Each structure stands twice: as structure tokens, then as C-alpha cells.
Amino acid sequence: MRLFWWALLFCLATAQAAVVGRIEAAGGQYGRQDDAGASKPAMLNGVVEAGDTLITGSGGWMVLAMSDGASLTLRPNTQLRIDEYRYQAEQASESRAWLRLVRGALRSVTGLIGQSNRPSYRLATPTMTIGIRGTDHETVLQDHSADADTPAGVYEWVHEGESVMQVAGQELVVRPGESGYLPAADGALPRLLAKRPRLFERMQQFGREQGLDQILERLHDRGEGGFRARPLSPEQREHLIEQGRQAVRERIEALPPGQKPDREQVQKSVKQRLQKLERPPTLPRKRVGG
């Protein structure tokens, strides 16, 4: 256990091998890459680390269960980078969920990070940034389209909560049942659409075919129009922590002798870090009625 403690602290202190979630479910073509574009193991219940880029091919999909109780659902032909992801129960302002949607479509059910400190959640796209207010939302990057109903641009749909489309100092709040749109043209500003684009209906149909709602029901509570995050169970958190220890141990063993940390210098601090990491957080429940 002591080896795990000092190894894990070394990982946290150097921001390497930060396990931030796991692959809850997946189908079709999907993969995982590091910053250099090299492939990394991608398997069911396998880890997701900060700095990873998750990729799905045509017909592929992934559901990621994140360490703060959030979930990320990647649709086909999607590329998502985990820029930074950490939950700190004792210092909510230090939590981060910074994601980058390079292409494709993503459904995000925010977790404790978004609940405890909304500015800590940020979904960046090539043309804009999306913030949240306790949200289950979907974002689509439409590069080109043969359908006049969905010209190129960024589309936003909210199931529950609110999202905020931000570009050039302007903000557009998108509420449940509303669709936001940012045209691809330079200098364009986001606006609400009169009706929901058909692309979201096609994604819903794909989700029904793959049973994605049933997967999200394993992870979240049902809300009025979508899903609400709940904390990971103690068993899930312990499994995630153990996977993190294994990933760190492998990296430590691969280091040259002169670069390995001195356990006596970090043993006390690592115990404190693990106590915070292993303490199950509590998620505020939204009041129903009244």
C-alpha cells in the first residue's frame, strides 16, 4: 500500500497519469490517443486519463463515466480531448472539467464539478465555448451538410438545466427544449432556432438503436427532461482508484532510477491526498415541486 501512496502522489504532483474516468460502454469503431497521436489501450471499463483524445469512427460510440459522477457520450465520427479534469471536494474553485470537441457530437451530463462550481466546466469548440448551469446537453459540430435544415456550424440542444454559448464576448443562454446555433461564417453570433434541427432526431434514433438511454440510466437519475448526475458508488470509486494506482505503478516502474520520487518525502502528503480522493462526495439533490 505504501508504494501505491507515494506513487499516486507523484502522479498528482506532476500531472501525469491522472485517471479521470472509465469507458462505461462502447460500440463500433472507437479508440484513445495521447498528445502525440499514439494509440493507447481502449477497452470496456478501461481508464480515461487527462490529456487523452477519444475518437469514434463511422457507427462508433462511447460512454465515459467520469470521476465526479458526470458522463460523456460520444456519437459517431467524433473526436474529444480531455484538456483537464479534476474534482477537489475541499476546494471547489480548483476543480476543472475542460473539454475540447474537435469534431462530431457529444452529450454531456455534468457531475459534481458543474454542480459545485459552474465556471469550472468548459466545452471548447473550434469557434466558440460552451458553459453550463447544471446541465444535460448535446453539442454538434456540423462541418458541412447537404441538408438545408442543418447548415454548417455549431448546434446546441438542452435536455435539462441550461447551457451558455459564448463567442466574441457575447452569450446566448439555451434552456430545456431550446436549440442554439452558431453559423460557421466569420463574425457570426449564436442565436436560438425556431425548431429543433432534424440532426438531433437522427441522434436520438441512433441512441435508441444502441440502447444509450439505458446506459445513462445506470449512471444517473432521471430528471424532468433529461438526466441528473449522482455520485459514484463506493464500489465504483474504489475500482477507479485501483485502476489509477495500477496506471501510476506502471509509469513509475518505467522511469529511470534517478527520476523516481523519494517515498519518505511524500508519504505524509499522499495519505492526505488519498483520504480526499476516497471520500465519497455528496451531490445536492434538486427539490421536486414546491
Side-chain angles (χ1 to χ4, degrees):
M1 287 299 293
R2 290 181 179 178
L3 174 62
F4 291 155
W5 288 345
W6 63 261
L8 183 57
L9 180 62
F10 175 74
C11 166
L12 294 172
T14 58
Q16 295 179 355
V19 176
V20 300
R22 71 180 189 282
I23 301 175
E24 173 73 17
Q29 296 179 331
Y30 61 92
R32 176 171 163 249
Q33 296 180 347
D34 63 16
D35 284 336
S39 295
K40 301 175 70 175
M43 62 193 74
L44 294 182
N45 289 318
V47 301
V48 175
E49 297 175 330
D52 280 355
T53 295
L54 291 308
I55 300 173
T56 59
S58 178
W61 57 273
M62 302 176 73
V63 177
L64 310 180
M66 307 305 288
S67 57
D68 67 326
S71 71
L72 303 171
T73 302
L74 283 70
R75 308 293 190 175
N77 296 314
T78 294
Q79 184 173 341
L80 175 72
R81 187 180 190 279
I82 312 295
D83 285 340
E84 188 173 359
Y85 208 104
R86 65 174 185 266
Y87 172 65
Q88 295 190 9
E90 303 301 322
Q91 292 180 292
S93 62
E94 296 300 317
S95 296
R96 295 284 188 275
W98 289 355
L99 313 170
R100 185 172 303 274
L101 184 60
V102 180
R103 61 180 170 88
L106 173 74
R107 181 173 185 173
S108 172
V109 180
T110 56
L112 291 167
I113 293 175
Q115 293 281 347
S116 60
N117 187 30
R118 292 171 180 172
S120 295
Y121 176 93
R122 182 181 70 191
L123 174 62
T125 76
T127 57
M128 67 174 303
T129 301
I130 296 173
I132 56 92
R133 296 173 182 170
T135 303
D136 174 358
H137 72 111
E138 302 204 40
T139 305
V140 181
L141 302 187
Q142 188 80 348
D143 293 333
H144 56 81
S145 176
D147 187 349
D149 178 62
T150 54
V154 182
Y155 292 84
E156 178 76 1
W157 170 263
V158 174
H159 295 273
E160 181 132 342
E162 295 179 353
S163 63
V164 184
M165 303 178 75
Q166 304 167 330
V167 60
Q170 302 294 313
E171 293 187 347
L172 175 70
V173 177
V174 185
R175 297 179 173 86
E178 294 181 339
S179 297
Y181 170 59
L182 174 67
D186 291 340
L189 295 177
R191 66 176 186 267
L192 292 177
L193 299 176
K195 63 178 182 179
R196 186 173 71 163
R198 286 196 293 269
L199 63 86
F200 288 111
E201 296 175 8
R202 293 194 291 269
M203 287 194 298
Q204 278 193 327
Q205 177 61 33
F206 178 83
R208 286 192 291 268
E209 294 171 355
Q210 304 299 325
L212 297 186
D213 270 12
Q214 286 80 2
I215 296 170
L216 293 181
E217 285 177 348
R218 297 203 306 255
L219 301 173
H220 306 301
D221 295 329
R222 275 281 188 181
E224 296 176 1
F227 292 96
R228 301 172 186 166
R230 61 173 176 254
L232 296 176
S233 69
E235 293 79 11
Q236 290 172 321
R237 290 182 63 81
E238 179 58 33
H239 179 65
L240 186 63
I241 291 168
E242 181 56 35
Q243 286 184 319
R245 290 169 175 160
Q246 177 63 25
V248 173
R249 183 171 52 210
E250 292 173 358
R251 276 180 163 79
I252 293 295
E253 291 300 322
L255 288 174
Q259 296 184 18
K260 293 185 179 182
D262 180 58
R263 83 173 73 178
E264 293 182 359
Q265 296 178 357
V266 300
Q267 187 175 29
K268 181 178 179 180
S269 296
V270 78
K271 290 181 180 180
Q272 296 173 348
R273 292 290 186 97
L274 276 178
Q275 287 173 354
K276 292 181 180 180
L277 183 62
E278 295 178 337
R279 183 183 302 128
T282 57
L283 179 64
R285 294 281 184 170
K286 183 182 290 187
R287 295 182 62 185
V288 178

